[in-house]
Amino acid sequence: MTPTGQEPGSGEVWLARHGETEWSRAGRHTGVTDRPLTETGEQRARALAGRLSRVRFDLVLTSPRQRARRTAALAGFPDAQVDPDLAEWAYGDYEGQTSEQIHETWPGWTIFADGAPGGETPDEMTQRVDRVVAACREHGGRMLLFGHGHCLRALATRWIGQPVLLGAHLPLETGRLSVLGYDRGIPTIDTWNT
């Protein structure tokens, strides 16, 4: 049994991507730059409240970034605990650039395969999200995590024991929910980008 009395291989982890920012709308990689939500982003964050208010969560965590904390507050969780490991991928030299701009000098680049010069590598992201996965499994119960597109995509792949490279195949829009769980003790992605 886990400390919360949950059987190993039980529980759920809900993932909530923050609402839209100007940079996310433009497709600009936003790691450490702390952009506020747009009006649309705030509306989508408030819309999450209706969906999440019907669910009881044992633990709610958020990235330290303003856009995630604001989304958590508007969704009804102003007291979410900050977890630095939920911060977005550090894009280093590619901060603020779009994939199209990066492809002009590095065709075929993806953050999941290549990381970012001056930023985090896929191995570093793996270590970070593995800590979140381990904490969720230790806690058990139903958890809610507010975070960012690339970080949450990497986290989902590690939840099911796959390399972060698989995250390239899991698009995640702003203001959307996903649920990780178990089927007969095996980690699963139950719903994605809803």
Side-chain angles (χ1 to χ4, degrees), residues 11-13 159 178-183 186-192 194:
E12 287 182 334
V13 178
W159 178 263
S178 302
V179 180
L180 309 177
Y182 294 93
D183 180 26
I186 298 172
T188 56
I189 299 174
D190 295 343
T191 61
W192 192 256
T194 63

Side-chain angles (χ1 to χ4, degrees), residues 85 122-137 151 154-164:
D85 285 332
D123 285 343
E124 290 168 327
M125 176 54 80
T126 296
Q127 291 171 17
R128 190 151 58 87
V129 296
D130 279 356
R131 288 192 296 266
V132 177
V133 168
C136 288
R137 290 199 168 126
C151 180
L155 192 152
T157 66
R158 298 303 297 151
W159 178 263
I160 60 171
Q162 298 300 308
V164 297

Side-chain angles (χ1 to χ4, degrees), residues 76-143:
F77 301 91
D79 298 323
Q81 297 176 36
V82 172
D83 184 341
D85 285 332
L86 287 173
E88 181 58 299
W89 205 304
Y91 297 111
D93 298 346
Y94 292 158
E95 182 78 10
Q97 294 188 36
T98 66
S99 291
E100 292 76 20
Q101 291 170 320
I102 297 165
H103 290 158
E104 290 174 11
T105 57
W106 189 343
W109 171 87
T110 72
I111 192 70
F112 298 102
D114 305 309
E120 284 180 291
T121 66
D123 285 343
E124 290 168 327
M125 176 54 80
T126 296
Q127 291 171 17
R128 190 151 58 87
V129 296
D130 279 356
R131 288 192 296 266
V132 177
V133 168
C136 288
R137 290 199 168 126
E138 181 178 328
H139 188 275
R142 184 176 289 129
M143 292 146 285

Side-chain angles (χ1 to χ4, degrees), residues 34-53:
D34 218 355
R35 307 297 301 182
L37 299 179
T38 63
E39 185 176 322
T40 298
E42 295 220 352
Q43 290 170 356
R44 288 184 186 163
R46 284 187 195 94
L48 289 175
R51 295 175 66 190
L52 296 171
S53 65

Side-chain angles (χ1 to χ4, degrees), residues 20-70:
E20 177 191 84
T21 68
E22 288 179 23
W23 279 21
S24 67
R25 181 177 55 215
R28 295 174 68 180
H29 295 293
T30 317
V32 297
T33 305
D34 218 355
R35 307 297 301 182
L37 299 179
T38 63
E39 185 176 322
T40 298
E42 295 220 352
Q43 290 170 356
R44 288 184 186 163
R46 284 187 195 94
L48 289 175
R51 295 175 66 190
L52 296 171
S53 65
R54 299 181 292 251
V55 183
R56 185 185 158 282
F57 294 99
D58 302 303
L59 179 65
V60 181
L61 301 174
T62 183
S63 158
R65 302 289 182 255
Q66 159 185 212
R67 56 196 182 272
R69 288 185 292 111
R70 179 73 174 147

